[in-house]
């Protein structure tokens, strides 16, 4: 029986959900041959039984096509500000300089495992359009309790990789602009660990809200650039006071 498979040749042919399953197969247990069979069945939308009936040489050829796709450098030109999922239009955060501290903290957290959390990252970067006039638009406020991330599993990988690359470029720029905040510090250590390395962003939020937990929401709603600017100034001010040089 002749079998025709549709082999994905571009990231536009692969959804986030499919790619996440593919990575789990590659990182899971089993022989190389078994992984090849399961991967081809998944990415080509067929069954393991059909794939097993194919000559092994053909399987290796298909896997090479898939490997070339996976190894290819993502095209940054695929960044899309507006996308449609399940008949709903979503927009990328319109102004990254206004991204809130809460959004940025959550993105930093989920980007520690970017593939596993890619659908969640997308649900933070893209939200439903509230108002649209020409090329300008506004989106819903960020609410992590809405649990919309499952919708983004249907998003294609070309869009996901384009937007993820855009955010990584933005994060790199922030790290460069506020490099003084991202250096290692040996102060406030507890059993060899700094408070920052142990508590991460919570330590920063604690210092910003003066120890009052009721102020945390106020801080997380501020633009991250406002928070970083304040922290950088506070650091310079404290260093000046500590070294007691010049006029304040």
């Amino acid at each position: 029986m002749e079998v025709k498979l549709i082999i994905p040749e571009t990231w536009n042919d692969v959804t986030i959900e499919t790619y996440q399953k593919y990575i789990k197969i590659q990182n899971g247990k089993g022989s190389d041959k078994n992984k090849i069979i399961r991967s081809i069945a998944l990415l080509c939308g067929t069954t393991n039984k059909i794939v097993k009936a194919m000559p092994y040489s053909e399987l290796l050829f298909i896997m090479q096509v898939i490997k070339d796709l996976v190894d290819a450098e993502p095209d940054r030109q695929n960044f899309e500000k507006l996308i449609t999922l399940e008949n709903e239009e979503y927009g990328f955060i319109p102004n990254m300089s206004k991204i809130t501290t809460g959004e940025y903290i959550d993105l930093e957290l989920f980007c520690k495992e970017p593939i596993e959390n890619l659908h969640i990252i997308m649900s933070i970067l893209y939200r439903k359009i509230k108002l649209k006039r020409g090329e300008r638009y506004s989106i819903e406020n960020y609410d992590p309790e809405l649990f919309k991330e499952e919708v983004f599993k249907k998003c294609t990988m070309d869009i996901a990789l384009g937007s993820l690359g855009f955010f990584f470029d933005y994060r790199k720029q922030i790290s460069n602009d506020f490099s003084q905040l991202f250096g290692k510090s040996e102060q406030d250590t507890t059993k060899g660990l700094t408070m920052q390395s142990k508590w991460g962003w919570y330590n920063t939020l604690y210092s910003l809200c003066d120890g009052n937990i009721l102020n945390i929401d106020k801080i997380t709603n501020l633009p991250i650039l406002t928070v970083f600017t304040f922290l950088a100034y506070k650091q310079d001010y404290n260093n000046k006071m500590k070294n007691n040089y010049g006029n304040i």
Side-chain angles (χ1 to χ4, degrees), residues 164-180:
L164 189 63
F166 186 89
F167 173 69
F168 282 161
D169 287 344
Y170 172 77
R171 185 174 66 169
K172 182 179 179 180
Q173 184 61 52
I174 280 186
S175 297
N176 291 335
D177 291 344
F178 297 95
S179 57
Q180 69 186 84

Side-chain angles (χ1 to χ4, degrees), residues 11-20 78 80 82-86 90 118-123 126 148-164:
W11 283 121
N12 187 50
D13 300 323
V14 182
T15 65
I16 290 176
E17 183 175 28
T18 298
Y19 185 64
Q20 289 173 329
N78 284 329
E80 298 284 349
L82 302 176
I83 62 175
T84 300
L85 294 171
E86 296 187 353
Y90 293 82
L118 189 50
H119 58 300
I120 303 175
I121 294 169
M122 290 291 287
S123 73
Y126 288 89
K148 294 182 179 180
E149 60 267 20
E150 291 299 313
V151 175
F152 286 89
K153 287 187 175 182
K154 304 303 180 185
C155 180
T156 54
M157 285 295 295
D158 58 328
I159 294 174
L161 292 174
S163 57
L164 189 63

